[in-house]
Amino acid sequence: MTPTPALDLFLELCALPSPSGQERAVTDRICEYLSGLGLPWDEDDAASRLDGDTGNVYCRLPPTNGHSDGIPVFLCAHTDTVPPETAIEPVVGEDGVVRNAADSILGSDNKAAVVVMLEAVRRVLEERREHAGIELLFTPQEEVSLRGADAFDHTRLVATTGYVYDQGAPIGEIVLGSPHGRLLDFRFHGTAAHAGMYPEDGRSAIAAASRAIADFRLGRIDEETSANVGVISGGTARNVVPEWCEFTAEVRSHDERKAVALAREMLESAAFAASLADCEVESEVRPSFPGYRFRRGDPPVRLAASALERAGYTPSYALSGGGADANVFNARGLQCVNLANGMTDIHTPDERIAVADLDGMVEVTLALFDVARERSPLS
């Protein structure tokens, strides 16, 4: 396959490991790229505030002459990935699809979006394309509860309409909503005893926690709601009745009332299970990310649909079961839409993306700039 600027940069970035909190190498390359285009950029102090090595990188292109009456837009992509199991060796197959030759993630989530943003802006400058204002934001630690975007001072953004490309689906899909999330932490306290000599003196925290989990409603609860227990640990030795056990869980729902009710139900189930085993339980519930919902007729959604059509794609609409940086911006009064960019099987060793989709999203982005330039903020 003939290399393209987008493909070359994508392969380069994917080969740089960037688990959450360790995005420095990728961010340095982004800053180098922006400087090479002659664009000013700055990095905030989020690294120190988030105990990481990287802050948020922000870059703004003012509107070209005569186009300040259009709609300025901001684009956001995150620089971190879930932790890779092995080295990342991105390769392009004969089918034109990029995969990791090693048994681990590829990192298209979200380096594909990073590359598309940079390549689209390069094209804007090289081709002297008119626009109504473009802002780029590259955030760290998105994969750990959207921490980078949450730490960014959103009042710096001139644009109130934004887009992230962080949905693993065919190009054309527009995400109309994301669920409200709740994080739950449980720690059960029992009584230790020798499991062979004095088991009757012990109170098993693991047994109590297991009963609680068995009583939870998990998986797909209804079309709007899901719940999961993700990590569990406990005990000290094979022959000791375990005096402690802890686990983490989450609840997601597009109806915030359902998320709150299900979290409360899980707290009550855990307390009941602890009482039956003569144990105690400590529990904590906290928000993970705020949900949002758009209508098809909302201006940022219509703008995205027009751009997709102009680039040759048929718009479709969906709700997402996950969170993205868009959740943070929508919670802060901005309008930020998540668009699918062709990623497949993200967070798995089968993660992949077609080269044609990388190039296709560049065209979608350029069309987005064009449509935004042509429209009034009131349209």
Side-chain angles (χ1 to χ4, degrees):
M1 169 168 290
T2 303
T4 66
L7 175 59
D8 287 344
L9 183 59
F10 181 65
L11 296 175
E12 179 185 352
L13 293 185
C14 283
L16 299 174
S18 57
S20 302
Q22 302 173 48
E23 305 92 346
R24 188 72 262 162
V26 169
T27 299
D28 284 346
R29 183 66 182 95
I30 291 170
C31 296
E32 178 186 24
Y33 193 97
L34 293 171
S35 295
L37 295 177
L39 294 174
W41 56 268
D42 63 73
E43 182 175 345
D44 68 14
D45 64 349
S48 60
R49 289 184 282 134
L50 301 178
D51 296 322
D53 64 9
T54 310
N56 293 288
V57 173
Y58 171 75
C59 173
R60 178 172 181 259
L61 286 71
T64 51
N65 292 334
H67 295 291
S68 58
D69 57 346
I71 301 175
V73 298
F74 71 88
L75 303 179
C76 176
H78 62 88
T79 54
D80 63 321
T81 70
V82 295
E85 298 288 332
T86 64
I88 302 177
E89 303 172 16
V91 295
V92 184
E94 294 182 359
D95 57 357
V97 175
V98 184
R99 298 177 174 86
N100 185 4
D103 189 23
S104 185
I105 64 165
L106 172 64
S108 61
D109 177 14
N110 196 226
K111 291 173 183 174
V114 170
V115 167
V116 166
M117 288 164 55
L118 293 174
E119 172 63 6
V121 168
R122 184 190 70 80
R123 291 269 305 274
V124 166
L125 297 174
E126 183 179 275
E127 299 169 12
R128 300 182 182 277
R129 301 175 73 109
E130 303 290 319
H131 60 85
I134 301 168
E135 292 169 277
L136 307 179
L137 179 62
F138 302 93
T139 63
Q141 301 194 39
E142 187 270 355
E143 298 289 1
V144 284
S145 299
L146 320 178
R147 298 181 73 206
D150 186 60
F152 179 69
D153 178 8
H154 69 283
T155 63
R156 297 190 63 193
L157 293 169
V158 175
T160 59
T161 298
Y163 298 89
V164 301
Y165 304 155
D166 204 2
Q167 176 79 343
I171 296 177
E173 186 171 286
I174 302 172
V175 175
L176 294 179
S178 176
H180 302 269
R182 294 292 185 275
L183 303 178
L184 298 93
D185 297 308
F186 298 91
R187 185 176 177 91
F188 286 75
H189 300 273
T191 303
H194 193 287
M197 298 176 63
Y198 310 108
E200 61 277 359
D201 293 339
R203 300 292 182 268
S204 173
I206 287 180
S210 298
R211 183 183 187 102
I213 294 171
D215 288 343
F216 288 170
R217 292 188 295 149
L218 299 175
R220 176 68 63 192
I221 309 303
D222 58 38
E223 63 180 8
E224 294 182 307
T225 311
S226 65
N228 185 59
V229 172
V231 178
I232 184 170
S233 60
T236 55
R238 185 190 301 269
N239 62 344
V240 177
V241 176
E243 65 177 327
W244 69 274
C245 182
E246 60 187 18
F247 62 87
T248 61
E250 69 162 24
V251 170
R252 302 182 186 208
S253 182
H254 287 275
D255 185 330
E256 188 171 16
R257 293 169 300 178
K258 290 182 179 180
V260 171
L262 185 55
R264 183 183 303 115
E265 177 184 308
M266 294 169 75
L267 294 174
E268 293 171 352
S269 295
F272 181 68
S275 68
L276 291 178
D278 198 16
C279 293
E280 296 180 352
V281 61
E282 298 175 69
S283 57
E284 179 185 2
V285 182
R286 60 189 188 279
S288 57
F289 48 78
Y292 64 87
R293 182 67 66 91
F294 286 108
R295 296 181 297 271
R296 295 190 185 191
D298 288 339
V301 175
R302 290 191 288 111
L303 194 157
S306 297
L308 286 163
E309 290 171 344
R310 187 171 297 192
Y313 295 94
T314 301
S316 62
Y317 303 90
L319 297 176
S320 174
D325 283 342
N327 292 66
V328 172
F329 297 117
N330 284 307
R332 294 181 178 176
L334 305 175
Q335 292 189 308
C336 188
V337 178
N338 191 359
L339 304 181
N341 66 342
M343 302 181 297
T344 303
D345 290 334
I346 60 174
H347 296 188
T348 78
D350 295 322
E351 184 179 359
R352 60 197 182 274
I353 188 169
V355 176
D357 285 338
L358 284 173
D359 294 332
M361 281 306 293
V362 173
E363 296 303 324
V364 170
T365 304
L366 293 173
L368 194 66
F369 296 156
D370 289 343
V371 175
R373 184 194 73 233
E374 297 163 4
R375 291 195 178 177
S376 161
L378 300 178
S379 63

